[in-house]
Amino acid sequence: MAGPIETDVLVVGAGPTGLLAALSLAELGLAVEVIEEEWRPAGHSYALALHPRSLGVLAQLGVAQEAIAQGRKLESLTILTGAEPRATLRCAVLDERFPFLLALPQSALEGLLADRLAKKAIKVRWSHRLAGLETRGDTVTASVQRLEKESGGYAVARTEWAVGESLTFRARFVIGADGHRSLVRRQLGTSFDEVSPSQAFAIFECQAPGAGDEMRLVVDPDSVNALWPLPDGRARWSLELAGPEVSAADRFKSRLTTMLGEHFFPHLDEARTRELLHERAPWFEKGTVEIGWSIEVRFEHRLAAAFGRGRVWLAGDAAHLTGPAGMQSMNAGLAEAHDLAARMKRIRDGQAGLDLLDAYGRERLAEWSFLLGRRGGLRAGPSASEFVAKHAARILPCLPASGPELAPLAAQLGLEVDRG
C-alpha cells in the first residue's frame, strides 16, 4: 500500500472557491492537493458574475485579463418596478481598476483557474471523495476514497460508483470548499441551518442582443427578478416564483432543481415563463425571445454555525447560501479562499498562530450574519427615496457586492450600512 500523500494544504472541492484557494496557495509557495467527488466539472451553473473585488483577486493571480476578455463588462445596475426605473448605480465607485461587474459563466472561470493550476503542475483529483478527517498536533490526516464506475445489471444496464482505492493525505491545513453538501462541514459536526425562508426561481438564458451593458433588478411587491446580460448577445434571467412550500427533508439536500415543464411545479411551463417575463419586464424584447436552457431552483438561505476550527476551515457555499440575484455567495467565497491562503501561509512560516484562523471565522460569521439579515442591515438615510426605504431589506441580498464594496454601492441609494 502506498504511503500517505504529504502536502501543506488539502483543498476539498473544485468549484470556483476551491480552485481559487488552490491557486492562491500555490502562488504563495505552499504545496497543495485538490480533491473533488464529482468526476468532471459541472455543466450548467447559477453563478455568472464577478464583482470588482473578485477581479482584484484574479489580478493578483494573473488571470483577470483573460477573464475580462471572455466576459461582458456591466458598468451599472438599474433598479426598476415593471417599466419604471427607480435608481441607477454606477460600479465605478467600487474599484477604479475595475469599474464594472463582469458577466462570466462559472464554467469559464473554472476553466481559467484550472488552466493556471495546470501550468503549476497541480491537477484536480476528480472522483475522490473525503471519507474522514482527524487532527493530531499540527497535522490533519484525511481519508479519501477514489471512486470508479462499475457497470452491471442483466437486461437493463446500470452504472454505479464504487470505491476503487483508499488514500491517505497528511496536511497542515484543510480548506472545505465543497459546496452546500460539504463533507468537510459534516466532519466538523457543524450545523447548517436555514436562517430565513427559501426562494424559488425560474432561471433561463435567452438571446437578447438589445439587453445593454447593465444589470437590471426588477423589484415588484411580490418578487425580485434579475437580468444579467452575457457575452455573445445572450442574457440570463432569474424570475422569483411563488412556489409551494416543501420541507428541507423532502428536497435533495439543500437545493431542488427541475427542468421547466416537469411535474414539481406543474403550473409553470414555457408559456407561463414568457407570461411572467412580460408582466415583470415589459421593456424586455417585445418581439420573440428564444429561450435556451432553463431550470427551476429553490435557493436556501443557510449559514454554518462556525466557519471551522483548528486547522480545518470552510469557504464559499460550504458555509453560506443565499439567493442568485447579487451573486454574493460565490464572490464572497473567492475572497474567503484568498484570505485563508494568506493566513495559512503566515502560520506555516511561523509569523502567526492558529488564532489568526479563529479571527477569520469570527469575521466571516459576522459578515454573513449581516448579509443574511440576522444582524443589522441597510438603513435608509435622509436621501433615500420612499421606494428604497421600503424595500431596503429586500435590496440587500440583491446588490452585487459584499464586504468593503457594499457601503459605497448602497450609498448611491441613500442607504447606510448597519452591521449590528
Side-chain angles (χ1 to χ4, degrees):
M1 180 180 294
I5 300 167
E6 305 280 349
T7 189
D8 286 322
V9 185
L10 173 65
V11 175
V12 183
T17 300
L19 293 173
L20 189 134
L23 183 55
S24 297
L25 291 160
E27 289 286 342
L28 291 170
L30 279 74
V32 60
E33 292 280 348
V34 185
I35 63 170
E36 168 58 58
E37 183 176 359
E38 299 297 328
W39 66 283
R40 64 176 181 180
H44 292 304
S45 59
Y46 311 122
L48 52 69
L50 295 171
H51 300 169
R53 182 167 61 144
S54 296
L55 292 171
V57 170
L58 294 181
Q60 293 182 47
L61 301 175
V63 295
Q65 292 308 314
E66 291 177 271
I68 292 169
Q70 293 188 29
R72 182 170 180 174
K73 297 178 182 179
L74 307 178
E75 298 179 354
S76 60
L77 158 63
T78 292
I79 300 176
L80 309 96
T81 300
E84 181 183 357
R86 297 288 189 171
T88 295
L89 311 183
R90 301 294 176 185
C91 299
V93 302
L94 303 179
D95 189 329
E96 61 183 13
R97 299 171 302 162
F98 306 106
F100 50 83
L101 305 166
L102 185 72
L104 181 74
Q106 180 177 321
S107 56
L109 175 60
E110 290 176 353
L112 290 172
L113 295 172
D115 289 346
R116 186 77 172 184
L117 281 171
K119 292 177 181 177
K120 294 181 173 295
I122 299 172
K123 295 183 178 180
V124 175
R125 295 176 183 259
W126 298 100
S127 300
H128 282 63
R129 179 176 62 200
L130 179 69
L133 288 174
E134 182 180 6
T135 301
R136 289 187 179 180
D138 61 358
T139 301
V140 184
T141 300
S143 301
V144 175
Q145 299 169 334
R146 181 179 61 79
L147 306 177
E148 56 185 30
K149 287 183 178 181
E150 188 175 77
S151 298
Y154 178 76
V156 179
R158 68 178 186 275
T159 300
E160 298 177 345
W161 289 96
V163 177
E165 182 182 10
S166 295
L167 304 172
T168 299
F169 289 76
R170 288 167 50 90
R172 294 174 182 265
F173 305 99
V174 171
I175 295 178
D178 48 342
H180 62 285
R181 292 180 288 160
S182 174
L183 293 174
V184 175
R185 189 186 64 244
R186 294 170 188 270
Q187 288 291 319
L188 286 168
T190 301
S191 63
F192 196 45
D193 298 328
E194 287 186 290
V195 298
S196 61
S198 60
Q199 295 171 286
F201 287 87
I203 298 177
F204 64 91
E205 291 188 2
C206 59
Q207 291 293 337
D213 292 322
E214 66 174 4
M215 175 195 172
R216 295 190 179 185
L217 189 66
V218 180
V219 180
D220 290 333
D222 300 316
S223 69
V224 175
N225 313 273
L227 168 67
W228 288 91
L230 298 174
D232 302 321
R234 298 184 63 78
R236 169 88 63 88
W237 269 104
S238 298
L239 299 177
E240 187 174 1
L241 305 172
E245 284 301 315
V246 180
S247 69
D250 294 331
R251 296 193 289 274
F252 177 70
K253 304 301 182 182
S254 292
R255 294 178 180 173
L256 174 72
T257 61
T258 59
M259 295 302 294
L260 276 172
E262 291 187 359
H263 297 298
F264 183 74
F265 288 87
H267 64 279
L268 184 68
D269 55 19
E270 184 172 323
R272 177 57 177 152
T273 302
R274 292 181 183 277
E275 182 182 343
L276 287 172
L277 184 59
H278 289 305
E279 286 176 0
R280 299 176 187 179
W283 41 268
F284 183 79
E285 289 295 301
K286 295 184 182 296
T288 302
V289 175
E290 177 189 344
I291 295 179
W293 73 269
S294 49
I295 195 167
E296 193 169 309
V297 188
R298 184 178 294 276
F299 285 86
E300 312 256 342
H301 302 153
R302 291 181 177 264
L303 180 61
F307 273 65
R309 64 175 179 268
R311 294 177 174 271
V312 182
W313 293 86
L314 304 173
D317 283 3
H320 43 73
L321 293 174
T322 189
M327 305 290 166
Q328 290 178 351
S329 197
M330 183 193 75
N331 281 274
L334 298 179
E336 290 160 4
H338 193 59
D339 186 19
L340 273 177
R343 293 177 192 241
M344 290 176 177
K345 161 73 170 175
R346 290 187 61 196
I347 296 170
R348 191 206 66 169
D349 292 349
Q351 299 172 354
L354 290 180
D355 58 338
L356 192 63
L357 294 176
D358 294 333
Y360 162 85
R362 291 191 299 272
E363 292 164 11
R364 300 318 304 153
L365 194 58
E367 172 70 5
W368 275 98
S369 293
F370 163 74
L371 289 172
L372 288 169
R374 300 186 75 183
R375 178 188 301 172
L378 296 180
R379 302 286 182 258
S383 63
S385 69
E386 181 180 350
F387 171 86
V388 167
K390 179 180 179 180
H391 296 288
R394 300 173 69 203
I395 290 172
L396 172 56
C398 300
L399 291 179
S402 61
E405 287 186 338
L406 192 75
L409 201 61
Q412 295 182 68
L413 292 170
L415 294 172
E416 301 169 353
V417 173
D418 173 11
R419 296 189 179 272

